Amino acid sequence: MFYFFLSAILIYSASLLGSLLFKNFFPSILGVPFFLLLIGLVFSPFFVFLFLLAPSLHIFFILLFSSTIGLFLTLSFVIWQKESVSDTGAVKKSLKILVSIFVISLFMHGICNLVSEVELRKSIEQAKSLGLKLRIEEIIPPAVPDEKNGAVVYEEAFTLVDSLQKRYKEEWEYVFPTSKYIPISNVGQLLEESTLEEKNRLSRIVEDPEFILLYKLVEKAVKMPECRFDVEYQAGVDMSHTQIVKMGEAAKIVAVKTGLLVSEGRFQESLDSAILLWKMGDSFANEPLLISQASRTQIKQVSIYNIKKIFETTTLVKIPQEQMDELIKISKDKEMELFLNGFIKGDTTVYLSLFSSTKDRLDGYYFEDVLPFPFYGSYLLRPIFKKDQSCYLKFFVKRMELFSEPYFVSINKSKKLDEQFADYKSFKTKKLLFSSMLLTSNRFFLKRQAEHIVNLDTLKLILALKIYHDKHHNYPNSLALLAPNIIPEVPIDPFTGKDYIYRLEGKGFVLDSAGAKKE
Amino acid sequence: MRPLIQKELREHQLFFFLSLAFVLLSVTILIIFKHKINKNNIEWIQMLFYIAVPFIFAVLFGTLPFTKEFTQNTKPFLLTHPVSSTKIFWIKIFTALASLLILLVSYILRVRFFLNIFTVLKIMLVYQEL
């Protein structure tokens, strides 16, 4: 209602100016749109200044309307006063005022541009100092020759996955219904809950000769020294993630096999299969994207789920020494770094490419329906654009700092950061188009990271406890006894900052994370 | 100053009441032809009532105070009054603005009232479809 009256007053003041200039009824009425357009053009750089200055959309519109109305009234007054004295020179005087206002408007715009530029440069420097890459070319993993590249073997396996999915449509639909997304990490739990008949149906897939071949190919692929998928990184936000999706599908089939072997009590084979899954996850270690790192953690999660399940049931299975060493030496810092590289740095750079070629980007992909300004990258809106970019960078710089700290510390800082930046409905962020679209709350990612760390830590502790048990024929009274002989140091629950819950129970033990449950 | 304000109001009087009559007439027409309102034209009717009509008033009230002085050539006579040209300017502007605002407020109140009718009509349309 407020804007209804403001708009009416704006049109009223524009028609006042028209009536004083044209001195006739109909030309004055016809001149209203022209005046509005003219003032809009003259004032547009100033509007950009107001837009950046205003703390809320409401205040911005009030400033915009009142300044325009003020200008119309000033021009009308000048013309009236001038014509009261003599009949000439009124138009000339008005034009002079318009030109001077345009110059002032441009000056304000220039100042805004300068301030935004300085702010952007600061943000870029800060981001660079933290290792954030600003161009997609910088995050692309180096090329790997085919004979050393596991991805080439995976490609062969993916064709078999397609073929199996087609032939066992019904069985596949049971595990992964098209109506509901089932993450890879849930496969183990899903199989545990399925009936004997359902398991028998699924066994048909893993007994198929094509699956056996697929399994062999995966075994071959994980043994290759490098793995670099042929992802079109240069396409930026338009890049397709076909290989990553296919890898997920392949991992799902292997996870089904692992789960079935566990339920059949074939523990040694299931352990081998779970370790294969673990290595499949590692194939994504160098991929600098959120989606690939998310797949990696999910594949590892199902692997850990099965390994834990096996050790819950039996202690007779043996992990190959080489694998045991790798699992025992799982470095939390390295995992956090991988998270940071993929979850944060990679995707930040990919989305940052939107800023570097805004005009081209606006023509394609999903932003074409979202962006209200097709000329967002133009000179006029440059200060807003720069501010947008610097806000985006600042947010990710702070996010990178968050991800270098344990969850119990970072979650409190994250709340503050979310309040600062991710009050997404507020004008402060919403007026910056890309930032409002791309900035998301940190909590989800932080929790995913912490959950992953808990998974890795508990696996590491279970294996260390098994080694201790093999040596002493009993489990220790405290986890502290595992370090430094078996593991360098006892990991801390990232949710609480304290030790994991550990107690002896019967012949076994209970190991848990209090924080993960609470969360 | 008061005679000037009265003069301005007098000049707006005719137009003010004509506008008021127009509002009443348009709403009456709407009630008479309510059976013609359907989901295809209801948006247009609402737009006409909420945007077009008030803005037409704004344009007309904006052009009225000064063009009259020019077309009837009464401006030199007006300036002979013992009131400064600045005062004349602001009196003209504020009286026209006051008339416009009064008209808009009364218009909004009426539209608000008939907005309920629109809502009822919309519900009726939905029921008809069901």
Side-chain angles (χ1 to χ4, degrees), chain A residues 1 4-5 7-9 11-12 15-16 19-20 23-25 28-29 32 73 76-77 80-81 83-84, chain B residues 50 54-55 58-63 66-67 70 75 85-86 88-89 93 96-97 101 104-105 108 112:
Chain A
M1 198 53 62
F4 170 84
F5 282 103
S7 316
I9 295 170
I11 290 168
Y12 165 79
S15 33
L16 271 178
S19 70
L20 279 160
K23 296 170 185 153
N24 209 322
F25 198 68
S28 318
I29 293 172
V32 170
L73 289 179
S76 305
F77 181 69
W80 172 259
Q81 286 294 78
E83 288 199 338
S84 302
Chain B
Y50 280 119
F55 287 172
V59 170
L60 294 179
F61 271 92
T63 44
F66 292 106
T67 45
F70 292 117
K75 192 191 157 195
S85 60
T86 312
I88 294 173
F89 176 81
I93 281 184
L97 186 63
L101 290 178
L104 284 179
V105 168
I108 286 297
R112 274 275 167 116

Side-chain angles (χ1 to χ4, degrees), chain A residues 286-347:
Chain A
N286 296 324
E287 292 289 333
L289 300 171
L290 184 143
I291 184 167
S292 39
Q293 291 306 316
S295 276
R296 184 180 72 86
T297 50
Q298 286 205 351
I299 295 171
K300 284 203 164 185
Q301 210 171 316
V302 71
S303 165
I304 293 170
Y305 180 88
N306 284 309
I307 295 174
K308 282 182 184 170
K309 207 82 214 154
I310 294 163
F311 284 116
E312 262 178 33
T313 326
T314 178
T315 50
L316 297 173
V317 287
K318 278 197 172 174
I319 298 183
Q321 194 54 45
E322 186 194 342
Q323 190 60 42
M324 183 67 113
D325 291 344
E326 192 194 319
L327 292 173
I328 283 288
K329 283 175 196 162
I330 294 169
S331 158
K332 195 161 73 180
D333 294 340
K334 196 190 163 194
E335 279 300 321
M336 284 170 91
E337 196 191 317
L338 286 176
F339 241 83
L340 200 66
N341 282 335
F343 267 85
I344 316 300
K345 288 185 186 172
D347 270 46

Side-chain angles (χ1 to χ4, degrees), chain A residues 375-438:
Chain A
F375 51 95
Y376 192 45
S378 66
Y379 178 75
L380 181 69
L381 299 180
R382 197 66 57 83
I384 304 172
F385 185 75
K386 283 176 184 169
K387 180 109 183 157
D388 194 359
Q389 198 171 354
S390 99
C391 177
Y392 175 83
L393 277 171
K394 270 183 194 169
F395 179 82
F396 280 96
V397 162
K398 298 229 173 178
R399 181 178 265 190
M400 278 158 72
E401 285 166 2
L402 279 183
F403 275 81
S404 314
E405 294 184 68
Y407 183 81
F408 68 96
V409 179
S410 62
I411 191 66
N412 294 324
K413 288 187 181 174
S414 156
K415 278 174 197 164
K416 278 181 197 165
L417 185 63
D418 281 0
E419 275 167 22
Q420 193 184 342
F421 283 99
D423 187 6
Y424 305 116
K425 283 178 187 169
S426 80
F427 184 63
K428 198 179 171 187
T429 319
K430 209 168 186 178
K431 66 182 169 185
L432 307 170
L433 285 171
F434 286 119
S435 298
S436 62
M437 280 189 282
L438 301 173

Side-chain angles (χ1 to χ4, degrees), chain A residues 94-352:
Chain A
S94 313
L95 281 173
K96 267 186 186 174
I97 292 173
L98 270 181
V99 169
S100 47
I101 282 172
F102 182 62
V103 171
I104 293 167
S105 179
L106 274 180
F107 178 71
M108 302 295 255
H109 183 271
I111 288 176
C112 273
N113 203 3
L114 198 73
V115 171
S116 311
E117 178 72 35
V118 171
E119 209 176 324
L120 177 62
R121 284 190 182 196
K122 260 187 190 174
S123 313
I124 288 175
E125 270 172 33
Q126 208 179 355
K128 275 185 177 172
S129 68
L130 282 168
L132 189 76
K133 276 130 187 171
L134 302 177
R135 284 165 54 235
I136 289 184
E137 293 76 31
E138 295 173 55
I139 61 158
I140 300 174
V144 173
D146 281 358
E147 58 275 12
K148 286 184 182 174
N149 194 356
V152 179
V153 185
Y154 275 126
E155 291 287 352
E156 282 178 55
F158 295 158
T159 54
L160 295 174
V161 175
D162 287 339
S163 163
L164 278 168
Q165 278 180 351
K166 273 180 198 164
R167 285 200 291 117
Y168 294 97
K169 216 173 178 180
E170 201 186 317
E171 286 80 358
W172 194 253
E173 181 67 21
Y174 163 70
V175 200
F176 308 107
T178 39
S179 56
K180 192 181 162 192
Y181 172 70
I182 307 272
I184 315 162
S185 50
N186 285 14
V187 176
Q189 212 173 344
L190 197 84
L191 282 168
E192 207 181 329
E193 289 162 6
S194 55
T195 62
L196 191 66
E197 195 198 326
E198 286 164 344
K199 279 177 189 166
N200 287 339
R201 283 165 72 189
L202 287 171
S203 298
R204 274 185 244 158
I205 306 178
V206 295
E207 281 162 12
D208 191 282
E210 266 192 353
F211 175 79
I212 295 164
L213 183 60
L214 161 79
Y215 195 82
K216 279 182 182 166
L217 283 172
V218 173
E219 279 181 319
K220 187 182 166 189
V222 298
K223 281 176 191 161
M224 305 282 266
E226 304 273 347
C227 185
R228 202 272 203 193
F229 287 96
D230 190 21
V231 179
E232 288 175 335
Y233 295 97
Q234 297 284 8
V237 286
D238 298 326
M239 80 173 87
S240 69
H241 306 289
T242 324
Q243 289 93 340
I244 296 156
V245 176
K246 292 270 178 202
M247 184 71 158
E249 300 291 291
K252 277 176 183 175
I253 303 191
V254 178
V256 167
K257 182 187 173 174
T258 317
L260 285 172
L261 288 171
V262 174
S263 61
E264 284 167 20
R266 292 154 70 183
F267 296 117
Q268 192 58 54
E269 285 169 80
S270 60
L271 188 66
D272 294 341
S273 186
I275 289 167
L276 184 69
L277 267 174
W278 176 278
K279 288 178 178 171
M280 276 178 90
D282 273 341
S283 304
F284 281 135
N286 296 324
E287 292 289 333
L289 300 171
L290 184 143
I291 184 167
S292 39
Q293 291 306 316
S295 276
R296 184 180 72 86
T297 50
Q298 286 205 351
I299 295 171
K300 284 203 164 185
Q301 210 171 316
V302 71
S303 165
I304 293 170
Y305 180 88
N306 284 309
I307 295 174
K308 282 182 184 170
K309 207 82 214 154
I310 294 163
F311 284 116
E312 262 178 33
T313 326
T314 178
T315 50
L316 297 173
V317 287
K318 278 197 172 174
I319 298 183
Q321 194 54 45
E322 186 194 342
Q323 190 60 42
M324 183 67 113
D325 291 344
E326 192 194 319
L327 292 173
I328 283 288
K329 283 175 196 162
I330 294 169
S331 158
K332 195 161 73 180
D333 294 340
K334 196 190 163 194
E335 279 300 321
M336 284 170 91
E337 196 191 317
L338 286 176
F339 241 83
L340 200 66
N341 282 335
F343 267 85
I344 316 300
K345 288 185 186 172
D347 270 46
T348 308
T349 313
V350 169
Y351 284 107
L352 203 61

Side-chain angles (χ1 to χ4, degrees), chain B residues 7 11 13 20 34 38 44 51-52 54 60 68 107 117:
Chain B
K7 172 197 162 276
E11 280 176 2
Q13 214 172 32
L20 214 60
K34 67 179 179 212
N38 55 46
W44 286 102
I51 301 166
L60 294 179
K68 212 168 184 181
Y107 177 77
I117 293 177

